[in-house]
Amino acid sequence: MAAAAAAVPVNLRLGDLVWGKLGRYPPWPGKIVNPPKDLKKPRGKKCFFVKFFGTEDHLPVLEELEPKLHQPRTRESAWIKVEQLKPYHAHKEEMIKINKGKRFQQAVDAVEEFLKKGKGKDQDLTIPESSTVKRMMTGTMAGFKWPPSPVKDGDPHFHHFLLSQTEKPAVCYQAITKKLKVCEEETGSTSIQAADSTAINGSITPTDKKIGFLGLGLMGSGIVSNLLKMGHTVTVWNRTAEKCDLFIQEGARLGRTPAEVVSTCDITFACVSDPKAAKDLVLGPSGVLQGIRPGKCYVDMSTVDADTVTELAQVIVSRGGRFLEAPVSGNQQLSNDGMLVILAAGDRGLYEDCSSCFQAMGKTSFFLGEVGNAAKMMLIVNMVQGSFMATIAEGLTLAQVTGQSQQTLLDILNQGQLASIFLDQKCQNILQGNFKPDFYLKYIQKDLRLAIALGDSVNHPTPMAAAANEVYKRAKALDQSDNDMSAVYRAYIH
């Protein structure tokens, strides 16, 4: 079944109606059309230029579905790889079954209206221009200068991005050239939704600073690839040097040691597995600390505990360096798609200097204040995610042993309030027995352990996380450490 679902449509051609898969988001209806003359086809895999159906006030490609395709595109169209396309009519029922959102239904209705007009494949596809985009291009928007306005008058969903340490009122400023939502409080806490930096000028403007990156694992590899795609100058290092080869071919420079990378770059990022690896990278032989001198910047993106990141910050700053912690929420696919969520804390000026880098690698970044806050928040996020994954596995095994269909359980969950890409992907992993790592099981167990310790440090009980942690420990004992976190399922069936 999985193989059939992934079959590549080999007979697509100009004028066909299709479903286009955009990164981690649900497929969206569109039509294969001729691209504008000034929009060159990307090199590499075969792809088609697709114009997507939308509604008057919503263009999914621009405003929600895929803010960073890393492909040439217009406001409502994009180059889509052929393996991410499916014929519209053959998959219509399937798509409507799994996607129930109002905006999705509006797009499908637009397709049906297009078909009713009876002009078939030769009919020109005209998608109404978003009124949001029109406002961006005219009137007071033309100068890209936005006066401050109260949050209550802005985006009704804005509160999801504002991480406040107080209950004091916030003020929101919108910078349209980068489609950022930046909100500042009197405490200085800031969040940035880097939803589409290409809304006006078609590409991110990369910083002119030299960027270093240490650690090319599941997350680091996708991050570096996106930094390079967006035009950053990047020097890479990895403990296993062979992993650097691909990025050298893509234009990266090779650093022989962490110290060399730091000494030759303005801002050096690092993403490694755990607290010990993070400390060894900084404090070990030819480590980061040996390359630090006044003005050098170090950004640790590893998921570690607050004590570890605080210690690293102190030694970096003691040498005159600048420090930012910036762990990321996501998985390998989101890293590859440039859709990570970045949680940052520490040197606020450095956070702002990293703006183009964060836009290249993520869809949203948050500044949370002093060093340690991002580490704590990241552990809480992963604690929730890990506990949820264990619950999913528990539910699927309970369904099996009570004679219920696991597939039917997934179908029911996908139609309810718990429906999410995470839920669907992890259940599919289990149903197909495919545990290729997207987020290593050993790392989610590590994060649960650190989150439990965080609770202990403030005398706060974490019984749900503790229970989940035991299940992951059993899965590790069953040799599942290097599989995806969804392999926790095997702890219930052995």
Side-chain angles (χ1 to χ4, degrees):
M1 179 179 71
V8 175
V10 295
N11 59 343
L12 292 177
R13 59 187 184 275
L14 185 67
D16 281 350
L17 295 175
V18 294
W19 297 97
K21 185 72 171 67
L22 301 168
R24 68 189 181 95
Y25 294 98
W28 204 264
K31 181 183 178 183
I32 297 176
V33 299
N34 283 317
K37 292 181 180 180
D38 59 347
L39 210 60
K40 295 181 179 180
K41 184 177 181 179
R43 291 178 294 178
K45 294 185 178 180
K46 183 178 180 182
C47 53
F48 288 101
F49 194 74
V50 178
K51 197 166 188 177
F52 292 96
F53 288 85
T55 67
E56 181 177 356
D57 291 316
H58 181 71
L59 290 176
V61 174
L62 171 64
E63 296 180 10
E64 181 174 338
L65 280 182
E66 180 55 275
K68 282 190 287 299
L69 288 168
H70 306 314
Q71 304 272 13
R73 64 180 177 84
T74 66
R75 289 194 297 270
E76 67 277 353
S77 312
W79 288 102
I80 305 295
K81 293 177 182 178
V82 67
E83 61 265 29
Q84 301 297 330
L85 295 173
K86 292 183 178 181
Y88 176 79
H89 295 288
H91 295 273
K92 175 182 172 183
E93 291 186 7
E94 170 194 347
M95 298 304 173
I96 291 177
K97 181 180 178 181
I98 63 176
N99 299 306
K100 297 294 184 180
K102 180 179 178 182
R103 289 168 175 169
F104 173 83
Q105 188 57 54
Q106 289 172 336
V108 174
D109 291 344
V111 178
E112 297 306 310
E113 183 64 27
F114 168 74
L115 292 171
K116 286 179 182 178
K117 292 181 179 180
K119 295 185 180 180
K121 295 179 182 178
D122 295 328
Q123 180 181 351
D124 290 333
L125 172 58
T126 302
I127 301 178
E129 185 176 46
S130 164
S131 59
T132 302
V133 174
K134 289 179 181 178
R135 289 194 299 271
M136 288 170 64
M137 303 304 294
T138 60
T140 58
M141 298 285 289
F144 307 124
K145 295 179 180 179
W146 278 65
S149 60
V151 170
K152 62 183 178 65
D153 294 331
D155 183 352
H157 303 294
F158 172 73
H159 62 278
H160 293 300
F161 300 98
L162 178 61
L163 295 189
S164 170
Q165 303 301 323
T166 73
E167 296 299 321
K168 298 178 181 179
V171 179
C172 181
Y173 302 84
Q174 291 182 321
I176 298 306
T177 53
K178 295 183 179 178
K179 202 172 185 289
L180 301 179
K181 292 177 183 175
V182 183
C183 289
E184 299 190 45
E185 299 186 1
E186 292 180 13
T187 58
S189 181
T190 305
S191 66
I192 297 179
Q193 183 187 5
D196 188 0
S197 60
T198 66
I200 298 298
N201 57 13
S203 65
I204 291 170
T205 301
T207 179
D208 59 2
K209 297 181 183 298
K210 295 177 181 178
I211 304 300
F213 204 95
L214 313 174
L216 300 174
L218 288 184
M219 306 297 278
S221 294
I223 291 171
V224 170
S225 180
N226 284 314
L227 288 171
L228 291 169
K229 287 177 183 177
M230 292 301 149
H232 295 83
T233 300
V234 185
T235 300
V236 296
W237 174 89
N238 191 71
R239 186 178 57 180
T240 307
E242 290 78 12
K243 286 189 176 182
C244 298
D245 293 344
L246 176 62
F247 302 101
I248 302 304
Q249 295 173 17
E250 292 182 2
R253 301 170 183 176
L254 178 64
R256 292 175 297 179
T257 66
E260 180 182 281
V261 174
V262 172
S263 64
T264 58
C265 295
D266 300 305
I267 303 174
T268 299
F269 294 85
C271 188
V272 294
S273 58
D274 56 32
K276 182 181 185 304
K279 289 181 180 180
D280 289 346
L281 187 62
V282 173
L283 305 174
S286 300
V288 168
L289 194 59
Q290 293 185 25
I292 291 290
R293 58 179 184 269
K296 292 293 181 179
C297 303
Y298 186 62
V299 182
D300 194 336
M301 307 191 79
S302 313
T303 299
V304 298
D305 57 285
D307 288 345
T308 295
V309 79
T310 299
E311 178 183 346
L312 297 180
Q314 289 173 346
V315 296
I316 296 295
V317 173
S318 71
R319 294 286 185 91
R322 300 168 65 194
F323 182 87
L324 186 75
E325 59 167 329
V328 292
S329 177
N331 54 29
Q332 183 182 28
Q333 186 60 54
L334 295 180
S335 177
N336 292 341
D337 292 343
M339 295 294 287
L340 296 170
V341 176
I342 300 124
L343 310 184
D347 188 319
R348 180 166 176 166
L350 177 51
Y351 170 71
E352 294 168 354
D353 289 343
C354 292
S355 177
S356 73
C357 297
F358 288 159
Q359 290 172 57
M361 67 180 75
K363 67 173 181 177
T364 311
S365 64
F366 297 91
F367 184 77
L368 306 183
E370 64 183 22
V371 168
N373 285 343
K376 294 173 185 176
M377 186 66 79
M378 188 73 261
L379 291 176
I380 294 168
V381 169
N382 283 359
M383 178 188 76
V384 172
Q385 181 175 252
S387 299
F388 183 43
M389 181 67 251
T391 301
I392 292 171
E394 192 168 291
L396 285 171
T397 51
L398 183 59
Q400 183 180 43
V401 299
T402 56
Q404 306 305 305
S405 165
Q406 292 179 321
Q407 181 62 57
T408 300
L409 172 60
L410 173 57
D411 292 341
I412 293 169
L413 291 172
N414 276 337
Q415 296 302 315
Q417 292 180 320
L418 292 178
S420 64
I421 295 170
F422 178 84
L423 171 72
D424 185 64
Q425 288 179 340
K426 297 309 180 185
C427 285
Q428 293 293 352
N429 286 355
I430 291 171
L431 295 180
Q432 296 169 16
N434 176 16
F435 299 108
K436 180 181 177 181
D438 195 40
F439 191 121
Y440 283 115
L441 184 144
K442 62 186 176 184
Y443 292 157
I444 197 68
Q445 189 274 323
K446 175 262 297 182
D447 294 344
L448 280 165
R449 172 175 56 81
L450 293 177
I452 294 166
L454 175 62
D456 289 343
S457 71
V458 292
N459 197 31
H460 181 77
T462 52
M464 305 301 291
N469 186 47
E470 293 304 313
V471 182
Y472 283 100
K473 285 165 64 176
R474 172 165 172 73
K476 287 177 65 177
L478 294 170
D479 201 26
Q480 301 301 309
S481 291
D482 292 325
N483 282 333
D484 186 72
M485 69 163 75
S486 52
V488 69
Y489 173 79
R490 289 178 169 168
Y492 287 98
I493 61 176
H494 287 86

